């Protein structure tokens, strides 16, 4: 019987214990990366048995969109995506061996979590008593931006349904930008690790 209860408990949502808390629309504002100019990150990407390394480029466009390009140091592109201010997404290029629907969809969600383009006033504020979770709905699941209760630290970002599917860690902010970005997926080997390049 205890084993059955344990099995049933493990099937529940990892977020079921969260309680509503007071809304604070400004809580996430300091953590939204401010890519005012082109910014580069040294980046390693591991997708299943493939390993890629190069430079990840965030380039703000005049129309308000953001280009996210991953390329080798010699200029060969792995992918080139554009994220519009209105939530639109354009795949300009993906290396053929990476150009799988599931890979592109996963990369899109990962960079949407990093860019934090959700309208922050539309988030739902929740807490587990230790951390504050600001949740935004997805077609399936939610994105959770998890901060300290005082909103002074971004602990992590989660894409989750019943359980976390992916986690993003953005650390050591300087002038509105994180020095390091780490994306880890829970169900499949798909990780992105980036360190900012100072020019």
């Amino acid at each position: 019987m205890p084993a059955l209860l344990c099995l049933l408990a493990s099937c529940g949502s990892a977020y079921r214990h969260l309680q509503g808390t007071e809304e604070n629309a400004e809580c996430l504002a300091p953590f939204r990366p401010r890519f005012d100019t082109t910014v580069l990150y040294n980046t390693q990407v591991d997708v299943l048995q493939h390993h890629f390394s190069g430079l990840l480029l965030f380039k703000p466009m005049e129309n308000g969109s953001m280009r996210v390009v991953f390329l080798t140091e010699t200029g060969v592109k792995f992918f080139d995506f554009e994220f519009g201010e209105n939530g639109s997404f354009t795949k300009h290029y993906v290396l053929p061996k990476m150009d799988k629907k599931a890979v592109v969809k996963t990369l899109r969600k990962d960079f949407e979590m990093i860019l934090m383009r959700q309208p922050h006033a539309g988030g739902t504020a929740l807490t587990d008593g230790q951390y504050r979770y600001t949740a935004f709905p997805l077609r399936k699941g939610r994105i959770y931006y998890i901060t300290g209760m005082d909103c002074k630290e971004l602990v992590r970002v989660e894409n989750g349904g019943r359980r976390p599917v992916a986690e993003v860690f953005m650390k050591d902010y300087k002038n509105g930008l994180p020095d390091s970005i780490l994306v880890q997926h829970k169900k499949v080997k798909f990780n992105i690790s980036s360190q900012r390049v100072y020019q």
Side-chain angles (χ1 to χ4, degrees):
M1 187 69 167
L4 178 60
L5 290 174
C6 182
L7 179 63
L8 291 173
S10 69
C11 292
S13 170
Y15 305 104
R16 70 184 181 282
H17 63 289
L18 298 178
Q19 303 290 319
T21 189
E22 185 179 334
E23 188 67 47
N24 179 351
E26 298 303 312
C27 181
L28 297 180
F31 307 111
R32 181 179 181 180
R34 294 198 304 270
F35 294 109
D36 299 324
T37 61
T38 299
V39 178
L40 292 174
Y41 286 82
N42 272 321
T43 298
Q44 315 287 319
V45 177
D46 291 297
V47 184
L48 303 175
Q49 71 272 23
H50 301 292
H51 175 80
F52 305 95
S53 63
L55 295 170
L56 186 63
L57 177 147
F58 292 88
K59 183 177 182 180
M61 308 302 288
E62 289 183 10
N63 65 0
S65 68
M66 180 68 64
R67 289 291 279 271
V68 179
V69 182
F70 182 40
L71 65 165
T72 67
E73 293 187 3
T74 58
V76 177
K77 273 196 281 192
F78 293 115
F79 59 75
D80 179 354
F81 300 140
E82 184 170 353
F83 296 85
E85 279 193 314
N86 61 356
S88 65
F89 172 77
T90 305
K91 179 183 80 173
H92 289 287
Y93 175 80
V94 178
L95 188 74
K97 73 163 89 172
M98 293 178 71
D99 196 6
K100 308 286 189 283
K101 187 175 180 180
V103 172
V104 173
K105 182 178 175 183
T106 299
L107 285 167
R108 176 183 179 176
K109 282 186 182 178
D110 291 346
F111 287 110
E112 285 175 344
M113 287 195 290
I114 291 167
L115 294 172
M116 298 178 71
R117 291 207 155 194
Q118 295 81 7
H120 292 156
T124 302
L126 304 163
T127 183
D128 63 1
Q130 183 178 6
Y131 298 112
R132 180 186 185 89
Y133 291 65
T134 306
F136 296 91
L138 297 172
R139 197 170 298 159
K140 286 178 70 176
R142 289 178 167 188
I143 292 177
Y144 296 90
Y145 291 94
I146 304 167
T147 66
M149 292 298 287
D150 58 4
C151 292
K152 291 184 178 177
E153 178 192 7
L154 179 63
V155 178
R156 68 185 176 277
V157 186
E158 288 182 357
N159 171 3
R162 295 175 67 82
R163 298 243 173 260
V165 174
E167 293 180 330
V168 175
F169 300 88
M170 295 189 282
K171 300 293 185 184
D172 302 320
Y173 277 74
K174 292 184 179 70
N175 300 318
L177 291 170
D179 256 11
S180 68
I181 301 171
L182 175 63
V183 181
Q184 294 180 320
H185 289 264
K186 300 289 193 178
K187 295 182 177 179
V188 65
K189 184 183 178 184
F190 196 151
N191 300 317
I192 303 170
S193 177
S194 299
Q195 292 289 328
R196 189 175 172 193
V197 175
Y198 287 90
Q199 302 165 317

